[in-house]
Short mmCIF file of all heavy atoms in Angstrom, two decimals:
data_model
loop_
_atom_site.label_atom_id
_atom_site.label_comp_id
_atom_site.label_asym_id
_atom_site.label_seq_id
_atom_site.Cartn_x
_atom_site.Cartn_y
_atom_site.Cartn_z
N ALA A 103 -83.57 50.80 -51.39
CA ALA A 103 -82.56 51.66 -51.99
C ALA A 103 -82.39 52.95 -51.18
O ALA A 103 -81.26 53.41 -50.97
CB ALA A 103 -82.95 51.99 -53.43
N TYR A 104 -83.50 53.52 -50.73
CA TYR A 104 -83.42 54.74 -49.92
C TYR A 104 -82.72 54.47 -48.59
O TYR A 104 -81.90 55.27 -48.15
CB TYR A 104 -84.82 55.32 -49.65
CG TYR A 104 -85.52 55.80 -50.89
CD1 TYR A 104 -86.90 55.65 -51.02
CD2 TYR A 104 -84.83 56.39 -51.94
CE1 TYR A 104 -87.57 56.09 -52.16
CE2 TYR A 104 -85.49 56.83 -53.08
CZ TYR A 104 -86.85 56.66 -53.18
OH TYR A 104 -87.51 57.10 -54.30
N GLN A 105 -83.03 53.34 -47.96
CA GLN A 105 -82.39 53.00 -46.69
C GLN A 105 -80.88 52.79 -46.90
O GLN A 105 -80.08 53.25 -46.09
CB GLN A 105 -83.02 51.76 -46.08
CG GLN A 105 -84.41 52.03 -45.53
CD GLN A 105 -85.11 50.76 -45.04
OE1 GLN A 105 -84.75 49.65 -45.43
NE2 GLN A 105 -86.12 50.95 -44.21
N ALA A 106 -80.50 52.13 -47.97
CA ALA A 106 -79.09 51.90 -48.27
C ALA A 106 -78.36 53.21 -48.52
O ALA A 106 -77.15 53.32 -48.25
CB ALA A 106 -78.96 50.98 -49.48
N ALA A 107 -79.08 54.21 -49.00
CA ALA A 107 -78.49 55.53 -49.27
C ALA A 107 -78.47 56.39 -48.01
O ALA A 107 -78.00 57.53 -48.05
CB ALA A 107 -79.27 56.24 -50.37
N GLY A 108 -78.98 55.88 -46.90
CA GLY A 108 -78.94 56.60 -45.64
C GLY A 108 -80.17 57.41 -45.31
O GLY A 108 -80.16 58.18 -44.34
N CYS A 109 -81.23 57.27 -46.07
CA CYS A 109 -82.46 58.00 -45.78
C CYS A 109 -83.16 57.36 -44.59
O CYS A 109 -83.37 56.15 -44.55
CB CYS A 109 -83.40 57.99 -46.98
SG CYS A 109 -82.77 58.89 -48.39
N ALA A 110 -83.50 58.17 -43.61
CA ALA A 110 -84.15 57.67 -42.40
C ALA A 110 -85.66 57.85 -42.43
O ALA A 110 -86.36 57.28 -41.61
CB ALA A 110 -83.56 58.38 -41.18
N GLU A 111 -86.15 58.63 -43.37
CA GLU A 111 -87.58 58.96 -43.40
C GLU A 111 -88.03 59.11 -44.84
O GLU A 111 -87.28 59.57 -45.70
CB GLU A 111 -87.79 60.27 -42.65
CG GLU A 111 -89.21 60.66 -42.46
CD GLU A 111 -89.33 61.92 -41.61
OE1 GLU A 111 -88.80 61.91 -40.48
OE2 GLU A 111 -89.93 62.89 -42.11
N ALA A 112 -89.27 58.71 -45.10
CA ALA A 112 -89.83 58.85 -46.44
C ALA A 112 -91.25 59.39 -46.34
O ALA A 112 -91.97 59.10 -45.38
CB ALA A 112 -89.84 57.51 -47.17
N THR A 113 -91.65 60.15 -47.32
CA THR A 113 -93.01 60.68 -47.42
C THR A 113 -93.57 60.25 -48.76
O THR A 113 -92.87 60.28 -49.78
CB THR A 113 -93.00 62.22 -47.33
OG1 THR A 113 -92.39 62.59 -46.10
CG2 THR A 113 -94.40 62.77 -47.40
N ILE A 114 -94.82 59.85 -48.77
CA ILE A 114 -95.45 59.38 -49.99
C ILE A 114 -96.88 59.90 -50.02
O ILE A 114 -97.47 60.17 -48.97
CB ILE A 114 -95.40 57.84 -50.06
CG1 ILE A 114 -95.72 57.32 -51.45
CG2 ILE A 114 -96.25 57.20 -48.99
CD1 ILE A 114 -95.32 55.88 -51.65
N SER A 115 -97.44 60.07 -51.19
CA SER A 115 -98.82 60.59 -51.27
C SER A 115 -99.56 59.98 -52.45
O SER A 115 -98.97 59.48 -53.40
CB SER A 115 -98.80 62.11 -51.38
OG SER A 115 -98.22 62.50 -52.60
N THR A 116 -100.88 60.05 -52.35
CA THR A 116 -101.76 59.61 -53.43
C THR A 116 -103.11 60.29 -53.24
O THR A 116 -103.30 61.06 -52.30
CB THR A 116 -101.94 58.07 -53.43
OG1 THR A 116 -102.61 57.68 -54.63
CG2 THR A 116 -102.73 57.59 -52.24
N GLN A 117 -104.04 59.99 -54.11
CA GLN A 117 -105.38 60.53 -53.96
C GLN A 117 -106.02 59.91 -52.73
O GLN A 117 -105.79 58.76 -52.39
CB GLN A 117 -106.23 60.23 -55.20
CG GLN A 117 -105.80 60.94 -56.44
CD GLN A 117 -104.74 60.16 -57.21
OE1 GLN A 117 -104.36 59.06 -56.85
NE2 GLN A 117 -104.24 60.76 -58.27
N LEU A 118 -106.85 60.69 -52.07
CA LEU A 118 -107.51 60.28 -50.83
C LEU A 118 -108.30 58.98 -51.01
O LEU A 118 -108.33 58.14 -50.13
CB LEU A 118 -108.44 61.41 -50.36
CG LEU A 118 -109.14 61.23 -49.03
CD1 LEU A 118 -108.12 61.12 -47.91
CD2 LEU A 118 -110.07 62.40 -48.78
N TRP A 119 -108.89 58.79 -52.16
CA TRP A 119 -109.75 57.63 -52.42
C TRP A 119 -108.98 56.39 -52.89
O TRP A 119 -109.57 55.34 -53.09
CB TRP A 119 -110.80 57.98 -53.46
CG TRP A 119 -110.21 58.64 -54.67
CD1 TRP A 119 -110.16 59.99 -54.90
CD2 TRP A 119 -109.56 58.03 -55.77
NE1 TRP A 119 -109.52 60.24 -56.09
CE2 TRP A 119 -109.13 59.04 -56.65
CE3 TRP A 119 -109.29 56.71 -56.11
CZ2 TRP A 119 -108.45 58.79 -57.83
CZ3 TRP A 119 -108.61 56.45 -57.30
CH2 TRP A 119 -108.21 57.48 -58.14
N ASN A 120 -107.66 56.46 -53.03
CA ASN A 120 -106.87 55.35 -53.58
C ASN A 120 -106.52 54.35 -52.48
O ASN A 120 -105.37 54.22 -52.06
CB ASN A 120 -105.63 55.88 -54.27
CG ASN A 120 -104.99 54.87 -55.18
OD1 ASN A 120 -105.30 53.69 -55.11
ND2 ASN A 120 -104.08 55.32 -56.02
N TYR A 121 -107.50 53.61 -52.02
CA TYR A 121 -107.34 52.71 -50.89
C TYR A 121 -106.41 51.54 -51.19
O TYR A 121 -105.70 51.07 -50.32
CB TYR A 121 -108.70 52.18 -50.42
CG TYR A 121 -109.67 53.27 -50.06
CD1 TYR A 121 -110.85 53.44 -50.75
CD2 TYR A 121 -109.38 54.14 -49.00
CE1 TYR A 121 -111.73 54.45 -50.40
CE2 TYR A 121 -110.26 55.15 -48.66
CZ TYR A 121 -111.43 55.30 -49.37
OH TYR A 121 -112.28 56.30 -49.03
N ARG A 122 -106.43 51.07 -52.40
CA ARG A 122 -105.57 49.92 -52.76
C ARG A 122 -104.10 50.24 -52.53
O ARG A 122 -103.35 49.45 -51.96
CB ARG A 122 -105.83 49.55 -54.21
CG ARG A 122 -105.29 48.24 -54.62
CD ARG A 122 -105.77 47.92 -56.02
NE ARG A 122 -105.52 46.53 -56.32
CZ ARG A 122 -105.90 45.95 -57.43
NH1 ARG A 122 -106.56 46.64 -58.34
NH2 ARG A 122 -105.63 44.69 -57.66
N VAL A 123 -103.69 51.42 -52.97
CA VAL A 123 -102.30 51.86 -52.77
C VAL A 123 -102.03 52.08 -51.29
O VAL A 123 -100.97 51.68 -50.77
CB VAL A 123 -102.03 53.14 -53.60
CG1 VAL A 123 -100.76 53.81 -53.15
CG2 VAL A 123 -101.97 52.80 -55.07
N GLN A 124 -102.97 52.67 -50.58
CA GLN A 124 -102.78 52.91 -49.15
C GLN A 124 -102.63 51.60 -48.38
O GLN A 124 -101.85 51.51 -47.43
CB GLN A 124 -103.94 53.74 -48.60
CG GLN A 124 -103.94 55.15 -49.17
CD GLN A 124 -105.17 55.93 -48.77
OE1 GLN A 124 -105.64 55.80 -47.64
NE2 GLN A 124 -105.70 56.72 -49.68
N ARG A 125 -103.34 50.55 -48.79
CA ARG A 125 -103.18 49.24 -48.14
C ARG A 125 -101.78 48.69 -48.37
O ARG A 125 -101.18 48.11 -47.46
CB ARG A 125 -104.23 48.26 -48.65
CG ARG A 125 -105.59 48.48 -48.01
CD ARG A 125 -106.56 47.32 -48.29
NE ARG A 125 -106.87 47.17 -49.71
CZ ARG A 125 -107.87 47.79 -50.32
NH1 ARG A 125 -108.66 48.60 -49.64
NH2 ARG A 125 -108.09 47.60 -51.60
N ALA A 126 -101.23 48.88 -49.56
CA ALA A 126 -99.86 48.43 -49.85
C ALA A 126 -98.88 49.18 -48.95
O ALA A 126 -97.94 48.59 -48.43
CB ALA A 126 -99.53 48.64 -51.33
N TRP A 127 -99.10 50.46 -48.77
CA TRP A 127 -98.22 51.25 -47.90
C TRP A 127 -98.25 50.72 -46.48
O TRP A 127 -97.21 50.56 -45.84
CB TRP A 127 -98.63 52.70 -47.87
CG TRP A 127 -98.54 53.43 -49.16
CD1 TRP A 127 -97.94 53.02 -50.32
CD2 TRP A 127 -99.08 54.71 -49.44
NE1 TRP A 127 -98.08 53.96 -51.29
CE2 TRP A 127 -98.77 55.01 -50.77
CE3 TRP A 127 -99.80 55.62 -48.68
CZ2 TRP A 127 -99.15 56.22 -51.36
CZ3 TRP A 127 -100.17 56.81 -49.27
CH2 TRP A 127 -99.85 57.09 -50.60
N CYS A 128 -99.44 50.50 -45.95
CA CYS A 128 -99.57 50.02 -44.57
C CYS A 128 -98.87 48.67 -44.40
O CYS A 128 -98.26 48.42 -43.36
CB CYS A 128 -101.03 49.92 -44.17
SG CYS A 128 -101.81 51.54 -43.99
N ALA A 129 -98.96 47.81 -45.40
CA ALA A 129 -98.30 46.50 -45.33
C ALA A 129 -96.78 46.64 -45.24
O ALA A 129 -96.11 45.76 -44.73
CB ALA A 129 -98.67 45.67 -46.55
N LEU A 130 -96.25 47.77 -45.71
CA LEU A 130 -94.80 48.01 -45.68
C LEU A 130 -94.39 48.94 -44.55
O LEU A 130 -93.24 49.35 -44.48
CB LEU A 130 -94.35 48.58 -47.03
CG LEU A 130 -94.46 47.60 -48.19
CD1 LEU A 130 -94.19 48.30 -49.52
CD2 LEU A 130 -93.50 46.44 -48.00
N GLY A 131 -95.33 49.26 -43.67
CA GLY A 131 -94.98 50.04 -42.49
C GLY A 131 -95.25 51.52 -42.55
O GLY A 131 -94.98 52.23 -41.58
N PHE A 132 -95.79 52.02 -43.65
CA PHE A 132 -96.15 53.43 -43.71
C PHE A 132 -97.43 53.64 -42.90
O PHE A 132 -98.26 52.75 -42.80
CB PHE A 132 -96.41 53.89 -45.15
CG PHE A 132 -95.17 54.18 -45.94
CD1 PHE A 132 -94.59 53.20 -46.71
CD2 PHE A 132 -94.60 55.44 -45.91
CE1 PHE A 132 -93.45 53.46 -47.45
CE2 PHE A 132 -93.45 55.71 -46.63
CZ PHE A 132 -92.88 54.72 -47.41
N GLY A 133 -97.58 54.84 -42.38
CA GLY A 133 -98.81 55.19 -41.67
C GLY A 133 -99.26 56.57 -42.11
O GLY A 133 -98.45 57.40 -42.51
N PRO A 134 -100.56 56.82 -42.06
CA PRO A 134 -101.07 58.12 -42.50
C PRO A 134 -100.67 59.25 -41.55
O PRO A 134 -100.67 59.08 -40.34
CB PRO A 134 -102.59 57.92 -42.50
CG PRO A 134 -102.83 56.81 -41.56
CD PRO A 134 -101.62 55.93 -41.61
#
């Protein structure tokens, strides 16, 4: 939805210890 709206960049955050969520992000191309 963000890409369709023309957003070229996204920022996301969570608790440092929330590895499960961070793994989902990496699978979708996010990097720390």
Side-chain angles (χ1 to χ4, degrees):
Y104 295 144
Q105 288 174 340
C109 294
E111 187 175 304
T113 302
I114 194 165
S115 65
T116 190
Q117 293 87 3
L118 185 62
W119 49 263
N120 196 345
Y121 303 117
R122 194 173 193 176
V123 165
Q124 293 173 38
R125 282 192 297 271
W127 296 349
C128 290
L130 292 171
F132 281 92

